[in-house]
């Protein structure tokens, strides 16, 4: 079956990437190098990743951003968020049917001492908020560590191929969101006082304010004088009957698929809501070569 991918785009480069073989329900499929499981499944036309343990509803992507766990699958025997887990060669991926069980491991747990570090300021989240804070702190030579659970800085900006509005001075209006992300990340990279950890998830803030971080799969503890939580917000949309069906996405997940991973989740799109985000989703769809069949708005005119 031909994969559902975007081969040309008016704004984004479409890089040529090598294939990686993996298995879904014993069927051999291919992903692209560095691609997360959810996008690889979507590119192969698979939208249902399992069923909910309570009511049996189909589960697939919701946020595509690591914030909800609706996309859980079993990868090499372990339950993972498929939108946060990169496909490995020959990975065996299975749907999560009901509540997944952790495997019983024969291996002895790794009891080597946990590395403990200190920082003046720890910023959790490398989106525009975290990056802007890091720039201000770095300019004042305040030792700062900024961490992000993704493999690049920018947060939601990475997903946005449209030109931003607002003020040029304060928020780079007129520049495309993904380019703003690169500008801020470059500025941060030039500051000696700021250290950046990618693929690093803050998983716990203890009562003594030490923070447990999983960095590239290795657990570390950071003891900052100050914690700045810039982990962004979780997407939310109005509920209606059937809104959990696979094939219905939030705008953030749609942006992740078409603008970050260059996956075409559909040939035809219908949009609910004519605010900024709904209209921009239509624009992103057109860039991706997706037909926008319509948009519905409750108000007498679109507010976007
Ligand atoms: C669909 C959509 C369209 C939008 N369009 C526009 C627009 O046109 N113009 C505009 O101005 N704004 C727009 N926005 C809003 C804008 O993207 C956000 O306001 C902005 O990205 C928020 O910045 P932030 O830094 O607070 O969070 P984010 O950009 O969400 O960054 C937070 C970062 O923290 C990381 N993170 C989360 N948890 C952890 C953890 N535990 N450990 C480590 N890292 C973690 C996340 O992966 C992310 O990289 C849009 C948003 C969406 C969803
Ligand atoms: S965590 Fe993967 S879709 Fe929300």
């Amino acid at each position: 079956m031909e994969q559902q991918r975007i081969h040309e785009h008016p704004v984004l480069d479409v890089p040529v990437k090598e294939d990686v073989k993996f298995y879904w329900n014993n069927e051999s499929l291919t992903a692209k190098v560095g691609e997360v499981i959810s996008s690889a499944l979507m590119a192969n036309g698979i939208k249902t990743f399992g069923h909910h343990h309570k009511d049996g509803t189909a589960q697939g992507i919701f946020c595509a951003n690591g914030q909800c766990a609706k996309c859980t699958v079993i990868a090499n025997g372990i339950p993972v968020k498929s939108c946060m887990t990169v496909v490995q060669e020959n990975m065996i991926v299975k749907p999560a049917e009901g509540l997944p069980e952790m495997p019983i491991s024969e291996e002895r747990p790794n009891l080597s001492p946990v590395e403990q570090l200190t920082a003046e300021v720890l910023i959790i989240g490398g989106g525009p908020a975290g990056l802007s804070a890091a720039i201000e702190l770095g300019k004042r030579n305040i030792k700062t560590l900024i961490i992000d659970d993704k493999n690049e800085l920018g947060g939601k900006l990475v997903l946005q191929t449209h030109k931003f509005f607002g003020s040029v001075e304060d928020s780079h209006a007129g520049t495309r969101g993904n380019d703003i992300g690169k500008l801020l990340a470059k500025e941060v990279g030039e500051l000696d006082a700021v250290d950046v950890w990618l693929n690093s998830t803050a998983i716990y803030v203890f009562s003594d304010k030490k923070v447990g971080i999983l960095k590239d799969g290795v657990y570390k503890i950071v003891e900052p004088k100050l914690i700045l939580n810039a982990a962004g917000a979780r997407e939310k949309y109005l509920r209606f009957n059937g809104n959990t069906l696979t094939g219905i996405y939030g705008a953030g997940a749609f942006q992740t698929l078409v603008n970050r991973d260059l996956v075409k989740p559909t040939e035809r799109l219908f949009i609910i809501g004519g605010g900024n985000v709904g209209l921009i989703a239509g624009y992103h769809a057109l860039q991706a070569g997706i037909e926008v069949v319509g948009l519905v708005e409750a108000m007498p005119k679109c507010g976007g």
Side-chain angles (χ1 to χ4, degrees):
M1 188 189 102
E2 202 195 324
Q3 295 206 339
Q4 293 164 13
R5 295 192 182 274
I6 295 161
H7 299 292
E8 47 184 57
H9 195 283
V11 172
L12 299 169
D13 290 333
V14 181
V16 180
K17 290 188 179 169
E18 280 182 34
D19 286 344
V20 179
K21 188 167 81 169
F22 73 106
Y23 296 90
W24 169 251
N25 260 341
N26 301 325
E27 187 190 349
S28 170
L29 300 175
T30 53
K32 295 290 171 197
V33 166
E35 187 168 56
V36 291
I37 299 171
S38 57
S39 291
L41 290 174
M42 298 290 292
N44 282 281
I46 294 154
K47 294 178 180 161
T48 301
F49 300 174
H51 292 87
H52 197 271
H53 66 282
K54 276 202 173 155
D55 59 9
T57 48
Q59 303 288 296
I61 56 167
F62 169 64
C63 69
N65 230 309
Q67 291 160 333
C68 72
K70 190 177 171 186
C71 64
T72 300
V73 295
I74 312 298
N76 288 342
I78 295 175
V80 296
K81 291 178 183 178
S82 62
C83 71
M84 294 293 286
T85 310
V86 171
V87 177
Q88 307 293 337
E89 183 75 36
N90 291 324
M91 191 180 241
I92 296 175
V93 185
K94 295 191 170 162
E97 299 298 352
L99 269 184
E101 279 177 22
M102 288 303 284
I104 299 164
S105 173
E106 299 291 317
E107 278 177 40
R108 287 161 62 94
N110 179 0
L111 296 177
S112 52
V114 174
E115 190 184 357
Q116 298 216 23
L117 303 107
T118 54
E120 285 281 314
V121 181
L122 171 69
I123 302 178
I124 302 172
L131 289 171
S132 303
I135 291 167
E136 293 308 318
L137 291 161
K139 277 188 206 161
R140 288 159 182 78
N141 218 17
I142 297 170
K143 288 275 174 211
T144 300
L145 171 63
I146 178 166
I147 65 163
D148 197 280
D149 57 2
K150 304 286 183 328
N151 64 5
E152 69 181 301
L153 289 172
K156 299 277 193 307
L157 291 175
V158 172
L159 317 176
Q160 293 165 10
T161 55
H162 54 277
K163 292 180 181 171
F164 270 42
F165 37 79
S167 130
V168 177
E169 241 174 54
D170 296 336
S171 54
H172 299 277
T175 305
R176 295 183 194 279
N178 53 347
D179 290 331
I180 300 174
K182 285 183 197 132
L183 285 174
L184 296 176
K186 184 167 173 280
E187 234 180 295
V188 163
E190 287 162 359
L191 293 164
D192 292 336
V194 183
D195 212 1
V196 179
W197 287 4
L198 296 176
N199 298 312
S200 300
T201 307
I203 50 178
Y204 210 95
V205 181
F206 295 94
S207 53
D208 57 4
K209 295 210 178 85
K210 287 182 183 173
V211 184
I213 299 172
L214 204 57
K215 179 179 190 291
D216 293 314
V218 180
Y219 184 64
K220 295 176 190 287
I221 290 179
V222 173
E223 188 178 358
K225 286 196 183 143
L226 193 128
I227 300 169
L228 206 155
N229 181 3
R234 185 176 149 173
E235 193 168 349
K236 198 171 168 190
Y237 56 52
L238 285 179
R239 290 165 59 166
F240 50 89
N241 281 343
N243 76 341
T244 56
L245 292 171
T246 51
I248 299 179
Y249 316 107
F254 183 69
Q255 290 182 340
T256 303
L257 289 168
V258 295
N259 294 341
R260 189 191 72 186
D261 295 348
L262 298 166
V263 170
K264 204 172 178 181
T266 180
E267 291 297 329
R268 305 173 77 231
L269 180 75
F270 184 79
I271 300 168
I272 301 172
N276 289 351
V277 170
L279 295 177
I280 285 165
Y283 172 74
H284 291 155
L286 297 175
Q287 288 181 324
I290 293 169
E291 184 191 353
V292 181
V293 295
L295 179 151
V296 65
E297 166 56 53
M299 301 299 282
K301 65 174 193 168
C302 284

